[in-house]
Amino acid sequence: MLSSPLNKILLILLGGFLSWVGQACCQWKGISCNNITGHVEKIDLQNTYTYTLFVFDGEWEEMRKSSLGGEINPSLLNLKLLTHLDLSRNDFEGIPIPTFFGHLKSLRYLNLSYASFGGEIPAHLGVDLSNTGVTLVNVLSKLPSLLELHLPACQIESLPISLGNVNFTSLLILDMSYNDLRFPFPEWFFNLSSLRKLYLSGNFFSAPVPSEFESLKSLAALDLSFNDLAGQIPKFFGNFCNLKTLNLANNQFEVGIQELLGGLSSCPNSELESLDLSSNKLKSQLPASIGILHKLNYLKLYMNDMSGSIPESLGQLSELVHLDLSFNPWGRVFN
Ligand SMILES: *[C@@H]1O[C@H](CO)[C@@H](O)[C@H](O)[C@H]1NC(C)=O
Ligand SMILES: *[C@@H]1O[C@H](CO)[C@@H](O)[C@H](O)[C@H]1NC(C)=O
Ligand SMILES: *[C@@H]1O[C@H](CO)[C@@H](O)[C@H](O)[C@H]1NC(C)=O
Ligand SMILES: *[C@@H]1O[C@H](CO)[C@@H](O)[C@H](O)[C@H]1NC(C)=O
């Protein structure tokens, strides 16, 4: 059962809490223990005082008395199996959320609502997965039938090199935008042959796009915007005949628009609805083949280095709703 150090810890934690006397801390108000191991699993110190809309003089005092406050002792960390911590509706008078909360490894539930903590939320409480390559494998390996994985803005720096024996080919949607990823990708990534939507914007990918990307042929949506990709837009993107949305904006691409549009427009039935190549360094002219992309409704080419005349075939795009060709040195347009 419970060892006495645990009692001490809890007493230090919130000394003066009236019902908390004696050794049997699992019986204390707000404490729940695992009924087999005897370890503290839950601390529920939600202030149960019922607020009324109009607080009378005497009630302020009542409220104050029923509220917990003050420093929270880091010895709480010794409760290694604590899964649930509720400190809501108390009054911690604007002190910062203790950073060590982020190290409560078993914690699954943390409620600090209406508890008057102040300052920044400690980084460890966010979904920071920067050092969790191995963990990610463990998670993924338990989910071989996973269809969608959304991990945007999790500070992930790299993908696990191996997924072990996991056949992860069922994945349809992968969103890892706004992380800290860079090339090279692990080999398994390019075996995601069913992938339909891939969102990798806002990472640190720099040129060139590796040729292995070619295996992701089923893609209907590809977003590589806000990276540092340069050189040529890969020719094989032109063979991605299921593409509905292609976003390569805010990179350093210089060439390849002819080949891309040439390829996409020779797809048996072009699906492309949205093309964003804005804020690159694309130099060439806009090819007349653009007119064959008859489903195109969104075309953004602003902030490039495109010149020449704007092809008349653009007028064939009857679905086009949004067109932005601004900030390019177009010439001879109105001649
Ligand atoms: C232990 O706790 C579980 C879940 O709360 C409960 O279902 C079970 O009956 C308890 N066992 C004993 C021996 O009290
Ligand atoms: C957190 O605590 C507040 C106040 O006690 C409660 O209203 C809310 O439902 C709790 N949130 C969750 C997610 O349990
Ligand atoms: C992986 O799973 C897919 C679909 O379930 C199946 O077609 C394929 O043969 C499997 N591959 C391997 C190497 O097990
Ligand atoms: C990728 O798929 C190929 C065959 O489709 C297989 O030989 C290879 O082992 C797979 N790689 C990984 C890392 O799963």
Side-chain angles (χ1 to χ4, degrees):
M1 290 309 279
L2 273 171
S3 55
S4 55
L6 277 184
N7 288 7
K8 216 161 130 200
I9 288 154
L10 288 169
L11 283 169
I12 293 165
L13 166 67
L14 295 157
F17 201 60
L18 289 178
S19 82
W20 289 21
V21 285
Q23 296 288 303
C25 73
C26 292
Q27 257 87 63
W28 293 350
K29 189 179 166 229
I31 305 295
S32 312
C33 298
N34 181 302
N35 57 13
I36 296 162
T37 65
H39 288 102
V40 175
E41 281 186 340
K42 256 175 127 168
I43 300 182
D44 183 355
L45 297 176
Q46 180 186 128
N47 181 3
T48 50
Y49 185 85
T50 317
Y51 296 88
T52 49
L53 194 55
F54 302 101
V55 180
F56 301 102
D57 282 354
E59 283 186 317
W60 281 116
E61 187 59 18
E62 274 306 301
M63 274 169 61
R64 207 186 54 76
K65 273 201 280 190
S66 68
S67 271
L68 296 171
E71 296 255 316
I72 300 175
N73 196 299
S75 52
L76 194 63
L77 283 176
N78 290 318
L79 300 177
K80 294 208 186 329
L81 300 176
L82 188 69
T83 58
H84 182 110
L85 179 59
D86 188 344
L87 296 174
S88 61
R89 297 169 37 103
N90 286 293
D91 187 4
F92 288 91
E93 298 176 317
I95 64 167
I97 297 170
T99 47
F100 69 81
F101 277 6
H103 298 286
L104 290 163
K105 292 261 189 305
S106 305
L107 205 62
R108 300 222 164 72
Y109 179 96
L110 175 65
N111 197 336
L112 305 178
S113 312
Y114 310 104
S116 298
F117 282 105
E120 286 189 13
I121 296 171
H124 279 90
L125 285 185
V127 194
D128 180 352
L129 300 175
S130 47
N131 289 311
T132 53
V134 174
T135 316
L136 195 62
V137 183
N138 291 339
V139 173
L140 296 183
S141 66
K142 293 195 176 73
L143 305 167
S145 320
L146 196 67
L147 297 180
E148 299 190 17
L149 180 61
H150 298 267
L151 291 169
C154 294
Q155 291 175 262
I156 297 171
E157 286 169 12
S158 62
L159 294 171
I161 291 173
S162 158
L163 282 185
N165 295 324
V166 191
N167 182 354
F168 202 44
T169 50
S170 57
L171 201 66
L172 296 179
I173 302 179
L174 179 60
D175 181 358
M176 300 196 79
S177 39
Y178 299 98
N179 280 289
D180 301 328
L181 294 169
R182 51 193 82 227
F183 292 136
F185 271 176
E187 197 194 325
W188 62 264
F189 184 86
F190 300 104
N191 279 15
L192 301 175
S193 49
S194 311
L195 208 58
R196 302 285 293 159
K197 298 183 180 180
L198 177 59
Y199 304 107
L200 294 172
S201 61
N203 280 285
F204 295 115
F205 298 123
S206 48
V209 179
S211 59
E212 292 98 324
F213 258 80
E214 192 168 2
S215 60
L216 305 176
K217 282 189 182 58
S218 313
L219 285 179
L222 175 60
D223 189 344
L224 290 169
S225 61
F226 291 92
N227 278 286
D228 207 15
L229 298 164
Q232 176 154 16
I233 297 173
K235 267 189 199 146
F236 54 76
F237 283 174
N239 303 331
F240 286 17
C241 287
N242 296 319
L243 268 185
K244 283 195 162 121
T245 301
L246 178 61
N247 190 350
L248 302 177
N250 290 81
N251 280 288
Q252 312 276 337
F253 287 116
E254 286 174 38
V255 287
I257 191 167
Q258 310 273 351
E259 292 85 348
L260 176 72
L261 292 177
L264 289 173
S265 58
S266 57
C267 284
N269 186 19
S270 167
E271 297 292 327
L272 199 68
E273 292 171 3
S274 170
L275 178 64
D276 192 345
L277 301 176
S278 57
S279 299
N280 275 285
K281 295 176 171 168
L282 292 167
K283 280 193 179 58
S284 56
Q285 304 192 357
L286 185 58
S289 56
I290 186 105
I292 301 167
L293 301 172
H294 62 280
K295 290 193 181 163
L296 207 59
N297 61 51
Y298 186 97
L299 178 61
K300 280 191 167 183
L301 297 172
Y302 69 85
M303 290 273 201
N304 274 291
D305 204 8
M306 300 189 63
S307 56
S309 54
I310 294 169
E312 268 183 39
S313 60
L314 207 59
Q316 296 165 18
L317 298 175
S318 56
E319 303 286 311
L320 205 60
V321 174
H322 193 109
L323 174 67
D324 193 341
L325 305 177
S326 61
F327 296 99
N328 279 287
W330 302 107
R332 295 176 284 114
V333 179
F334 300 110
N335 296 346

